[in-house]
């Protein structure tokens, strides 16, 4: 049981790291049509995330791989029930990657406008659908005891699911605006800072609305009422949100970005702790709930995987820290003139 609990929270941690690292990519891609006033500014925005975005998606692969290997029943049910939504996310992510590579290959306005739209589409769609998916995880989806899903793509687009999509979108927009504040200068930098200030108020409103709706739409608060000490996580989350605004006012943009990262991690674990031990609750039959206990692989598999994770996760983290350090600093004209620039 200890192994299953350990893997439940490792599974959540991998998703949280993915949301932190690729979240600012989603935010910048979504903001690009609204913040960039010319092609140079669009290229600055693309190159602000360019050297890092594909490395960030390693965490998505890791989270998906862990779901498959540690919780195969969850993986099978999830990819059966949410197949349309997950394929839409996958196609959007592929389209974004292709757009970033192809956009600069031809000096043509229409060519670049088409790929600009693809960057926007490939950023906003995953941001919203990840939120919709996790909100439906928290709420429960109509699956029976055999894991058969009694719904469709539009069943997931219920009010609470869409509210989760909005929360994720504004989390990533704020995260992206902060990253752009770090990586840009001049007018684009000023617009990014003003956007981060404005988005903060919307994000707080959406987060409070989501917290309230969670009380009525899910069973997440049961674990918190049973163990009130868990509400400390909500307080830390609130403090992280407030720190974002505080450091923005102080013009400490890097610290504000770290506070935003902490807020995203806390938001993810707020849901997971409330969900535990469930991973995919059923909205029609509680006996059909998929939990960390009934969906896991054998203890031997979990032990082997834990050994692999203990060895390789620090290596991946070290590599990513090295990469972020290598590409620190603002995007300059020299960066845009480089042969491998976007």
């Amino acid at each position: 049981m200890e192994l299953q609990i350990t893997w439940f929270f490792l599974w959540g941690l991998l998703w949280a790291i993915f949301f932190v690292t690729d979240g600012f990519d989603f935010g910048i891609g979504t903001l690009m049509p609204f913040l960039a006033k010319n092609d140079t500014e669009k290229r600055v925005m693309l190159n602000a995330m360019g050297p890092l975005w594909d490395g960030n998606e390693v965490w998505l692969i890791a989270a998906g791989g862990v779901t498959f290997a540690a919780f195969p029943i969850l993986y099978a049910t999830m990819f059966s029930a949410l197949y349309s939504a997950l394929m839409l996310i996958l196609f959007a992510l592929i389209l974004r990657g292709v757009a970033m590579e192809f956009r600069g290959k031809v000096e043509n306005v229409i060519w670049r406008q088409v790929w600009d739209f693809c960057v926007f589409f490939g950023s906003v769609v995953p941001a919203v659908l990840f939120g919709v998916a996790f909100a439906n995880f928290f709420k429960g989806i109509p699956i029976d005891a055999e894991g058969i899903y009694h719904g469709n793509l539009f069943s997931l687009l219920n009010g609470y699911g869409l509210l989760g999509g909005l929360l994720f979108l504004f989390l990533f927009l704020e995260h992206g605006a902060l990253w752009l504040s770090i990586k840009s200068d001049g007018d684009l930098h000023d617009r990014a800072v003003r956007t981060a200030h404005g988005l903060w108020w919307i994000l707080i409103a959406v987060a409070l609305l989501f917290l309230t709706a969670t009380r009525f739409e899910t069973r997440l608060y049961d674990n918190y009422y049973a163990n009130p000490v868990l509400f400390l996580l909500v307080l830390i989350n609130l403090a992280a949100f407030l720190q974002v605004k505080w450091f923005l006012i102080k013009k400490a943009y890097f610290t504000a970005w770290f506070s935003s990262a902490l807020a995203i991690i806390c938001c993810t674990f707020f849901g997971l702790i409330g969900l535990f031990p469930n991973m995919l609750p059923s909205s029609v039959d509680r006996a059909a709930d998929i939990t960390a206990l009934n969906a896991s692989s054998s203890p031997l598999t979990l032990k082997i995987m834990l050994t692999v994770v203990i060895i390789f996760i620090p290596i991946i983290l070290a590599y990513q820290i090295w990469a972020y350090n290598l590409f620190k600093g603002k995007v300059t004209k020299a960066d845009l003139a480089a042969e491998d620039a976007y």
Side-chain angles (χ1 to χ4, degrees):
M1 184 173 176
E2 289 79 7
L3 274 173
Q4 293 154 325
I5 295 172
T6 301
W7 271 107
F8 176 88
F9 286 101
L10 277 175
W11 174 72
L13 181 62
L14 290 173
W15 279 110
I17 295 175
F18 168 66
F19 292 143
V20 167
T21 53
D22 216 21
F24 69 81
D25 298 337
F26 293 146
I28 291 175
T30 306
L31 287 171
M32 195 170 79
F34 309 103
L35 283 189
K37 300 299 183 186
N38 52 53
D39 191 64
T40 300
E41 290 187 348
K42 288 177 182 176
R43 292 191 64 209
V44 170
M45 294 182 74
L46 291 174
N47 283 278
M49 57 175 170
L52 305 167
W53 72 269
D54 48 354
N56 294 338
E57 294 197 352
V58 166
W59 298 106
L60 174 62
I61 297 170
V66 164
T67 309
F68 171 74
F71 302 104
I73 295 175
L74 170 67
Y75 184 88
T77 306
M78 192 172 75
F79 272 82
S80 172
L82 309 178
Y83 185 80
S84 301
L86 293 174
M87 285 300 103
L88 193 53
I89 289 174
L90 181 61
F91 290 143
L93 291 174
I94 292 172
L95 187 63
R96 184 183 64 152
V98 171
M100 290 183 67
E101 295 295 336
F102 278 25
R103 182 185 184 279
K105 301 298 182 186
V106 176
E107 291 284 347
N108 179 281
V109 174
I110 296 176
W111 171 271
R112 294 195 170 190
Q113 285 177 342
V114 169
W115 292 118
D116 287 348
F117 174 78
C118 293
V119 170
F120 170 77
F121 180 84
S123 300
V124 70
V125 168
V128 172
L129 287 186
F130 274 124
V132 170
F134 270 80
N136 276 283
F137 274 36
F138 301 157
K139 178 185 174 71
I141 64 173
I143 51 173
D144 61 24
E146 296 179 349
I148 298 174
Y149 177 58
H150 297 275
N152 52 46
L153 175 62
F154 297 102
S155 304
L156 304 173
L157 302 178
N158 52 73
Y160 184 70
L162 290 172
L163 188 56
L166 272 183
L167 176 63
F168 271 51
L169 177 63
F170 280 102
L171 276 172
F172 296 153
L173 286 174
E174 179 73 15
H175 207 45
L178 291 170
W179 187 255
L180 192 60
S181 301
I182 298 168
K183 300 292 288 183
S184 63
D185 54 16
D187 292 341
L188 181 59
H189 165 82
D190 295 342
R191 285 196 294 276
V193 172
R194 286 198 299 272
T195 301
H197 274 291
L199 284 172
W200 186 86
W201 293 103
I202 302 174
L203 173 59
I204 293 299
V206 174
L208 290 175
L209 193 58
F210 185 80
L211 272 178
T212 305
T214 297
R215 167 67 181 80
F216 300 101
E217 295 285 344
T218 75
R219 306 193 298 262
L220 289 190
Y221 281 103
D222 291 354
N223 283 346
Y224 289 86
Y225 292 143
N227 302 280
V229 69
L230 294 177
F231 278 106
L232 278 174
L233 179 71
V234 180
L235 294 178
I236 294 172
N237 202 348
L238 176 62
F241 278 127
L242 294 175
Q243 281 181 341
V244 171
K245 189 64 170 176
W246 171 256
F247 288 119
L248 260 174
I249 293 170
K250 293 291 184 182
K251 299 182 180 180
Y253 304 119
F254 201 64
T255 316
W257 184 85
F258 266 109
S259 299
S260 174
L262 177 61
I264 291 173
I265 292 172
C266 289
C267 283
T268 307
F269 274 92
F270 163 75
L272 292 175
I273 288 173
L275 201 59
F276 182 81
N278 287 323
M279 300 187 83
L280 190 57
S282 169
S283 61
V284 293
D285 182 5
R286 293 198 65 172
D289 287 351
I290 294 176
T291 72
L293 307 180
N294 66 21
S296 68
S297 296
S298 68
L300 177 60
T301 303
L302 296 181
K303 285 179 184 175
I304 293 172
M305 288 178 59
L306 195 58
T307 305
V308 172
V309 161
I310 290 172
I311 295 172
F312 285 99
I313 290 296
I315 294 174
I316 297 172
L317 278 174
Y319 172 79
Q320 201 144 32
I321 291 170
W322 172 80
Y324 273 66
N325 186 59
L326 182 66
F327 295 104
K328 67 181 180 182
K330 296 183 182 296
V331 178
T332 64
K333 290 182 179 178
D335 295 322
L336 297 183
E339 187 179 353
D340 55 350
Y342 291 96

